[in-house]
Amino acid sequence: MSEVLEHCTEVLHTLPEGVTLVAVSKTHPSAMIEEAYTLGLRDFGENKVQELVSKARELPADIRWHMIGHLQTNKVRQIAPFVHMIHSVDSLHLLECIDKEGRRAGRRLRCLLQVHVAQESEKFGLYPSELRELLPTLDVPSLTGLELRGLMAVATNTNDGAQVEGEFATAQTLFEEVRQSGRAGLEHFDTLCMGMSHDYTLALRHGATMVRIGTTIFGQRDYGRTN
Ligand SMILES: *Cc1c(COP(=O)(O)O)cnc(C)c1O
């Protein structure tokens, strides 16, 4: 059995029923994605539009592509026809652009609002206070080019498990708040996407319904080669 297959199988065994695994394939060749595909994996995550588009072109059409990286409005059109979910919605401007491009493509683009819970300034996302301000101003049912499906969070990259858990707990609280708001148009707000290779077991303790795992499945990324 190849290493990718072995690691995929191991990760899948540790995930509770109902948790979706997004295999983060950024920087890795399509051949490795094909291996994971043979095991039944269909959800793959990329963080660059160009790489996402070129891999989607050469790989099976039933793959569900997740855009997990920071997204510029001028690149939404390239992925709108096929992307399965956009995880990194962090501004009203981007949300409106995705709505427009979704309608143009005749689709409702599934979106996660990225919430900034980490103690790191370079992490993208809406601060909890910004999210709480933004949501009530949105006329969600009028956004017919997209579907708000939940929240995405990235925790601080630290060995301090208590801090990471605190950040995941903050995201979970926000998620539950939105779900319980009973707002029209949020009937499918069911996804809490958090947890990467080094912290997904902590994310699962705080209600993650989707995890994004790269290194544990595909090995270390060689940025020198592809970036
Ligand atoms: C790269 C990346 C991941 C995967 O990280 P690993 O540590 O390789 O599991 C998850 N989420 C985001 C947003 C990423 O950019």
Side-chain angles (χ1 to χ4, degrees):
M1 188 154 48
S2 86
E3 281 189 20
V4 169
L5 294 185
E6 208 173 298
H7 296 150
C8 271
T9 309
E10 277 166 25
V11 169
L12 286 169
H13 279 307
T14 65
L15 294 181
E17 184 88 21
V19 172
T20 302
L21 168 61
V22 176
V24 178
S25 46
K26 63 189 186 195
T27 79
H28 295 295
S30 294
M32 283 173 102
I33 300 176
E34 278 171 334
E35 281 189 58
Y37 181 91
T38 63
L39 206 64
L41 259 71
R42 292 296 179 270
D43 293 275
F44 292 91
E46 293 283 339
N47 69 340
K48 293 208 161 66
V49 166
Q50 206 186 343
E51 192 173 344
L52 178 56
V53 169
S54 69
K55 282 175 173 168
R57 223 176 256 141
E58 61 187 56
L59 286 161
D62 63 343
I63 286 182
R64 295 184 286 267
W65 292 102
H66 295 250
M67 176 58 196
I68 63 170
H70 184 63
L71 181 58
Q72 289 171 311
T73 50
N74 62 2
K75 299 207 171 150
V76 176
R77 187 167 296 180
Q78 293 180 56
I79 59 174
F82 69 92
V83 73
H84 178 72
M85 188 176 265
I86 298 172
H87 290 222
S88 42
V89 182
D90 60 357
S91 73
L92 178 60
H93 182 52
L94 179 57
L95 194 76
E96 288 172 342
C97 175
I98 293 170
D99 179 46
K100 189 181 79 191
E101 294 299 336
R103 280 185 277 122
R104 188 174 184 272
R107 303 183 66 211
R108 296 198 73 153
L109 304 178
R110 297 173 192 83
C111 289
L112 303 180
L113 296 168
Q114 184 171 354
V115 52
H116 186 299
V117 294
Q119 294 296 318
E120 284 168 323
S121 53
E122 75 271 20
K123 294 263 151 78
F124 292 107
L126 294 157
Y127 285 94
S129 58
E130 291 178 308
L131 182 77
R132 288 190 177 105
E133 277 165 31
L134 173 67
L135 270 177
T137 68
L138 291 180
D139 179 15
V140 184
S142 74
L143 301 171
T144 54
L146 59 79
E147 186 170 49
L148 283 180
R149 294 303 300 259
L151 299 182
M152 181 273 227
V154 180
T156 303
N157 185 8
T158 171
N159 291 326
D160 183 347
Q163 181 180 341
V164 170
E165 285 207 48
E167 294 169 2
F168 287 147
T170 300
Q172 182 179 29
T173 301
L174 279 166
F175 178 63
E176 291 304 336
E177 233 176 81
V178 178
R179 275 165 68 77
Q180 282 156 23
S181 70
R183 292 275 311 282
L186 296 181
E187 292 79 11
H188 301 287
F189 201 91
D190 55 11
T191 304
L192 180 56
C193 180
M194 54 190 194
M196 309 171 32
S197 290
H198 63 284
D199 61 13
Y200 76 92
T201 52
L202 303 181
L204 292 172
R205 286 189 202 159
H206 296 279
T209 67
M210 182 182 274
V211 293
R212 306 174 308 273
I213 299 181
T215 309
T216 300
I217 293 174
F218 297 111
Q220 292 293 331
R221 287 179 288 274
D222 180 1
Y223 282 106
R225 182 170 46 86
T226 50
N227 280 19

